[in-house]
Amino acid sequence: MSEPSSPVIVWFRRDLRLSDHAALRAACADGRPVIPVFILDDLAEGLGAAPKWRLGRGLAALQADLERIGSRLILRRGEAREVLDDLVAETGAGSVHWTRAYDPAAQARDAAVKSDLQAQRIAARSFPGHLLFEPWTVETKTGGYYRVFSPMWKAVRQRDVAAPEPRPGTVPAPEHWPRSDRLADWALGADMRRGGDVVAPHVQAGEAAAQARLDWFLDAGIGAYAQRRDIPGVDGTSGLSQYLSLGEISPQRCWHAGLRAREEGQPGADTFLKELVWREFAYHLMYHSPHILTGNWRPEWDRFPWQTDPAHPHVLAWKQGRTGMPFVDAAMREMHVTGRMHNRGRMIVASYLTKHLMTQWRIGMDWFEQHLVDWDPASNAMGWQWAAGSGPDAAPYFRVFNPETQLDKFDRDGAYRRAWIAEGQGAPPDTALAYFRAIPKRWALSPDDPYPAPVVSAAQGRRIALEAYENRTPSGKSDR
């Protein structure tokens, strides 16, 4: 049993902030010394290149925030259970706090950690913090989880959400700090190679940057959000996804900001609140049906005839942003340069890969996992399956986005394609040229290259997709 003065370890994960942090707040309220810790375990080591690079930026910001209030972030590398056992032995800690994770691998890890700590009579406490609503608290009228978004939105939109809490003024420090790794020695950006220097100017990490972006959005963006969020050539989205992904801002803070904007009559507020619940929907699906991360959410799609070769020439053209479809290529290049991609672009590139190129959605999902700084396991999986038709979606699976008409509709002045596609422009902007500095040298691409003809045209791709749907049901059986 712990002594009254024994330290509390706060295990940071996807919650790299000091405000709205229930685990940290409870630890500080105990009046005992607090030891903040981040563990680079197998789950963190296994992140894709861009998410791991972005994690390093977030950890550096959290370190600085803690140091400003007289605390530290202890960094350790290894299996989480063993690292925590070592820290408990070194520090005499009597409690370990953390906020919950919801993906199956993290849940299994956390269950093992909790069991191990409790066997040693160490208090192991988990807290909410990554979602608005814990997944087991939202059920349909007949029981079970929501498989369609609209009913879930109607069920939760009037629910109470805990108000945001301020960051602690101080975090009680232990008399002696345990050893810490150096963040630089972890080399979290190594897999980005030269791309990290290109992406870096487009990323501002940390809780202060997250709050600044939310403040900007409330002041200048939320009023026209419902209209501008679909136009990729303007800064019309909230831009909060990377911060929510690492927990540098809480969904509760975003939710209450949206509520205030609605009370003030901002016309885009409801759309913003709905998007927060769309993220929530992805997490609830992942929690209740974890196979969405690895296989078709609808099992009748298991025999659908997608091509599965990630080295197929058409797939390479898609990865390079050289499909000859300007909307697809602009979006893919935006991701190479900024580590992010406009949401409308994500739908178009996913539809093109899975419908026009008839390629298995996991290939695209894995590529995004390597290249997005706002990568999120639940949203990435649900988004790809939504686009492919194999996931939870009330719309028909045979919906096929036309990348040409979509570009005409959402990029009428050509701002988006000019920003990211250099070929054919006499004086391309630096955003378009930066793509060639970010990509692997082995691709041997140049802005002086001619822009490619479509690998599969919009009309041809639609015919291919619809023929596949007509000749085979998603179960793989012929309709004829």
Side-chain angles (χ1 to χ4, degrees):
M1 200 59 89
S2 63
E3 298 294 329
S5 60
S6 61
V8 181
I9 293 171
V10 178
W11 178 17
F12 282 83
R13 297 105 69 79
R14 285 186 174 269
D15 51 0
L16 306 186
R17 63 181 183 273
L18 301 184
S19 59
D20 308 322
H21 199 297
L24 178 63
R25 187 166 63 250
C28 292
D30 281 349
R32 293 185 285 162
V34 175
I35 303 175
V37 173
F38 182 87
I39 302 170
L40 187 65
D41 63 1
D42 288 345
L43 299 186
E45 292 269 25
L47 290 171
K52 190 187 291 187
W53 175 88
R54 179 61 177 84
L55 171 63
R57 295 297 181 106
L59 289 173
L62 179 61
Q63 278 185 319
D65 281 351
L66 285 166
E67 289 169 3
R68 277 191 283 270
I69 56 174
S71 186
R72 299 182 189 178
L73 181 64
I74 301 302
L75 304 174
R76 291 287 180 93
R77 191 175 207 156
E79 198 267 319
R81 181 180 57 80
E82 294 177 358
V83 169
L84 289 170
D85 282 350
D86 289 345
L87 282 169
V88 166
E90 290 174 33
T91 64
S95 302
V96 180
H97 292 185
W98 63 83
T99 60
R100 298 185 189 110
Y102 303 93
D103 59 285
Q107 285 189 302
R109 175 199 62 193
D110 295 351
V113 166
K114 181 171 281 192
S115 177
D116 177 68
L117 291 171
Q118 290 175 340
Q120 302 176 61
R121 304 185 73 188
I122 303 297
R125 298 181 62 191
S126 61
F127 297 81
H130 200 57
L131 298 177
L132 295 169
F133 316 106
E134 298 295 80
W136 51 89
T137 69
V138 179
E139 291 187 332
T140 66
K141 292 180 180 178
T142 57
Y145 66 98
Y146 285 96
R147 292 165 170 81
V148 178
F149 172 70
S150 295
M152 179 175 170
W153 162 244
K154 292 177 183 177
V156 303
R157 61 185 176 184
Q158 299 300 328
R159 276 198 176 196
D160 289 334
V161 172
E165 295 279 352
R167 62 169 55 199
T170 59
V171 175
E175 186 175 346
H176 302 288
W177 285 98
R179 174 192 61 81
S180 176
D181 293 350
R182 292 179 65 251
L183 182 59
D185 291 341
W186 284 0
L188 295 179
D191 292 341
M192 285 284 277
R193 299 181 177 87
R194 63 179 187 156
D197 290 338
V198 176
V199 174
H202 301 276
V203 172
Q204 291 78 44
E207 184 175 1
Q211 184 62 55
R213 179 66 195 193
L214 177 61
D215 291 343
W216 173 88
F217 177 64
L218 295 172
D219 182 59
I222 198 168
Y225 177 66
Q227 295 76 35
R228 289 168 60 86
R229 62 184 290 269
D230 277 322
I231 304 173
V234 302
D235 191 4
T237 67
S238 73
L240 293 170
S241 59
Q242 64 171 309
Y243 303 114
L244 286 165
S245 174
L246 285 178
E248 292 170 332
I249 196 167
S250 71
Q252 290 84 358
R253 186 165 295 271
C254 298
W255 181 263
H256 280 276
L259 290 179
R260 290 194 303 274
R262 187 170 68 183
E263 291 171 0
E264 295 166 0
Q266 296 283 7
D270 266 336
T271 303
F272 176 59
L273 293 171
K274 203 170 185 178
E275 288 301 303
L276 291 173
V277 176
W278 179 253
R279 172 183 179 270
E280 204 83 0
F281 182 51
Y283 268 87
H284 286 229
L285 286 168
M286 180 180 67
Y287 177 81
H288 289 290
S289 53
H291 71 278
I292 195 172
L293 298 176
T294 55
N296 296 309
W297 189 79
R298 300 178 187 271
E300 61 267 28
W301 283 79
D302 287 349
R303 294 178 60 191
F304 191 74
W306 278 306
Q307 83 84 16
T308 58
D309 179 9
H312 190 284
H314 288 177
V315 175
L316 177 59
W318 177 85
K319 291 177 177 179
Q320 293 176 333
R322 295 270 300 170
T323 67
M325 290 282 105
F327 205 160
V328 175
D329 297 342
M332 296 298 287
R333 296 182 189 203
E334 178 189 18
M335 181 170 66
H336 279 289
V337 174
T338 70
R340 291 172 288 154
M341 185 188 294
H342 191 276
N343 186 59
R344 174 61 54 173
R346 296 185 197 211
M347 289 189 287
I348 301 307
V349 302
S351 178
Y352 189 79
L353 182 71
T354 59
K355 304 291 179 66
H356 290 74
L357 302 185
M358 289 300 293
T359 297
Q360 225 287 337
W361 57 267
R362 280 189 290 265
I363 291 173
M365 184 182 75
D366 291 345
W367 190 249
F368 272 26
E369 183 176 350
Q370 290 296 322
H371 290 82
L372 287 173
V373 297
D374 64 354
W375 175 81
D376 174 286
S379 296
N380 195 35
M382 185 181 74
W384 273 96
Q385 295 222 44
W386 183 89
S390 59
D393 182 15
Y397 63 81
F398 48 80
R399 172 193 50 223
V400 181
F401 283 115
N402 183 317
E404 294 176 335
T405 58
Q406 286 281 305
L407 191 66
D408 289 341
K409 181 177 182 180
F410 295 109
D411 190 41
R412 292 176 182 172
D413 61 359
Y416 189 59
R417 72 198 89 173
R418 288 194 303 272
W420 300 111
I421 299 177
E423 296 95 319
Q425 293 197 63
D430 187 66
T431 49
L433 294 173
Y435 161 78
F436 298 93
R437 300 194 297 271
I439 59 175
K441 289 184 178 180
R442 68 178 182 276
W443 285 359
L445 298 176
S446 164
D448 297 326
D449 294 336
Y451 186 65
V455 295
V456 174
S457 71
Q460 180 188 7
R462 179 176 175 81
R463 286 196 301 271
I464 291 170
L466 293 181
E467 182 179 351
Y469 298 141
E470 181 182 354
N471 292 341
R472 291 172 179 258
T473 65
S475 65
K477 299 176 181 177
S478 174
D479 286 336
R480 295 179 177 175

